[in-house]
Amino acid sequence: MKLTSEKLPKNPFYTSLSQGGAKNPKFFQWRKEKTDRYSHANLVDKALQLLKERIRRGDAMAYFLRGQLYFEEEKGVEYMKKIVDSPCPKARHLQFAAAYNLGRAYYEGKGVKRSDEEAERLWLFAADNGNPKASVKAQSILGLYYSTKEPKDLEKAFYWHSEACGNGNLESQGALGLMYFYGQGIRQDTEAALQCLREAAERGNVYAQGNLVEYYYKMKFFTKCVTFSKRIADYDEVHDIPMIAQVTDCLPEFIIRGMAMASFYHARCLQLGLGITKDEATAKHYYSKACRLNPALADELHCLLIRQRI
């Protein structure tokens, strides 16, 4: 899982995106216009790629610039450590965000030696037992961490996703829907699952939208499946994914997975003429898009298709 950084708050109080704001098209457009397309991590990666190409061409200055970039990144880690360890009460509201970012650095091995244990310790500090004024992103990422580490701890994953969801986190709301749906870390509850997924989908969680497409298909609500899936499948993968990630604060990997699911099931409906006029040529287009977006998921769904399970 690739993590994104959390910006330091402008004031001591955590403000989350409300459901009402997320549903408002004008608010969505405002966020689209005001937010930067690229995160700091993306810009650093892009800079390193450009410097690598210049080094390949024999540009001696590029070696120096790459060293300076690494130095600045490592210096950033040192600054975050100082904030986390600061005894000053005025730094308290900064410590949660700094601890989240530092945990991300340890998890990815950026500027420090990679350590899952240290990342977990810092995220637990940043999450502060579910405090809404702490790092809600740390609460959400702990849910993802405990559901993917070996061995998994799904009860802890459910707990942290619940805390983050209660504090307004959209990523965790979609994750909770799936945990309820499959009975992971909690007793299976389809009604609660659909409520979480639908609310998350309405707020812009593309992964939740993709899973609802799958649910509509399996329940044979084909007209609904087609209508819902086409909108998601028609997102532009180059321009829309970064924008959606910025506006919803959801991880691009899961946005891509949701788009791939929607593309595959839309293709299946077109191929068989389910809820829509049969069109095998267009079906191939959407099958190809699903494969391009997420080859592993497309292969998994294709295997289910071969076994006549979808």
Side-chain angles (χ1 to χ4, degrees):
M1 67 182 173
K2 186 172 179 59
L3 310 180
T4 55
S5 62
E6 179 166 61
K7 297 178 181 179
L8 296 179
K10 294 181 181 178
N11 57 62
F13 301 100
Y14 176 83
T15 55
S16 62
L17 181 66
S18 67
Q19 283 194 6
K23 293 179 181 178
N24 189 322
K26 291 182 179 179
F27 183 87
F28 189 91
Q29 180 63 28
W30 180 85
R31 284 291 302 270
K32 176 181 178 181
E33 293 172 354
K34 295 295 182 182
T35 53
D36 295 328
R37 175 180 290 184
Y38 300 107
S39 67
H40 173 72
N42 286 337
L43 289 173
V44 171
D45 287 342
K46 183 65 175 178
L48 287 172
Q49 290 173 16
L50 292 172
L51 290 171
K52 182 178 179 180
E53 177 60 23
R54 287 174 58 178
I55 289 170
R56 188 187 66 81
R57 293 199 299 253
D59 186 343
M61 179 60 72
Y63 284 101
F64 170 79
L65 292 174
R66 186 174 66 174
Q68 183 69 19
L69 181 58
Y70 281 132
F71 173 77
E72 292 296 334
E73 288 298 293
E74 290 180 5
K75 189 164 66 175
V77 167
E78 291 304 314
Y79 287 152
M80 285 189 287
K81 285 181 178 179
K82 289 181 180 179
I83 293 171
V84 171
D85 295 334
S86 173
C88 179
K90 293 182 179 180
R92 180 66 174 170
H93 70 288
L94 301 177
Q95 287 177 318
F96 297 128
Y100 171 82
N101 288 333
L102 193 55
R104 185 202 63 138
Y106 274 103
Y107 188 85
E108 296 184 351
K110 298 292 181 64
V112 290
K113 184 178 180 181
R114 191 181 184 286
S115 171
D116 288 355
E117 292 76 16
E118 188 62 10
E120 180 183 3
R121 184 189 71 81
L122 287 160
W123 287 335
L124 286 169
F125 170 81
D128 195 33
N129 295 316
N131 179 3
K133 295 178 183 179
S135 172
V136 178
K137 289 186 74 171
Q139 295 162 13
S140 180
I141 216 64
L142 280 168
L144 182 58
Y145 174 73
Y146 286 124
S147 63
T148 55
K149 66 173 290 193
E150 291 298 336
K152 297 179 181 180
D153 192 332
L154 295 177
E155 289 186 2
K156 281 187 180 179
F158 181 84
Y159 169 81
W160 282 112
H161 277 313
S162 296
E163 293 297 305
C165 179
N167 291 327
N169 187 274
L170 179 54
E171 187 100 74
S172 283
Q173 187 173 32
L176 278 181
L178 291 176
M179 296 188 84
Y180 272 120
F181 199 87
Y182 294 106
Q184 296 177 335
I186 189 69
R187 180 178 58 83
Q188 188 174 22
D189 187 334
T190 303
E191 185 177 347
L194 291 174
Q195 181 179 346
C196 281
L197 288 173
R198 284 169 178 155
E199 289 182 2
E202 287 176 7
R203 294 176 61 200
N205 186 317
V206 177
Y207 189 44
Q209 293 169 359
N211 278 279
L212 281 175
V213 166
E214 183 175 64
Y215 172 77
Y216 294 143
Y217 180 90
K218 290 182 176 179
M219 294 299 292
K220 300 185 179 180
F221 301 151
F222 296 124
T223 301
K224 196 168 187 176
C225 177
V226 168
T227 303
F228 202 46
S229 63
K230 189 177 191 309
R231 178 167 56 86
I232 306 161
D234 283 344
Y235 282 137
D236 181 88
E237 55 208 275
V238 175
H239 300 100
D240 288 342
I241 291 172
M243 182 272 292
I244 293 170
Q246 286 283 351
V247 172
T248 65
D249 207 17
C250 291
L251 295 171
E253 288 82 351
F254 289 98
I255 296 171
I256 292 170
R257 189 174 177 87
M259 287 173 60
M261 291 177 73
S263 298
F264 189 94
Y265 281 105
H266 192 67
R268 185 63 172 160
C269 288
L270 283 165
Q271 181 186 12
L272 300 179
L274 301 173
I276 193 172
T277 303
K278 187 175 181 179
D279 187 340
E280 294 190 3
T282 306
K284 289 180 180 178
H285 164 75
Y286 285 105
Y287 276 134
S288 296
K289 186 169 186 176
C291 292
R292 186 169 64 250
L293 286 166
N294 193 317
L297 175 63
D299 182 64
E300 178 185 329
L301 293 173
H302 184 252
C303 288
L304 293 176
L305 187 154
I306 292 173
R307 296 200 294 268
Q308 298 184 339
R309 294 182 60 183
I310 60 175

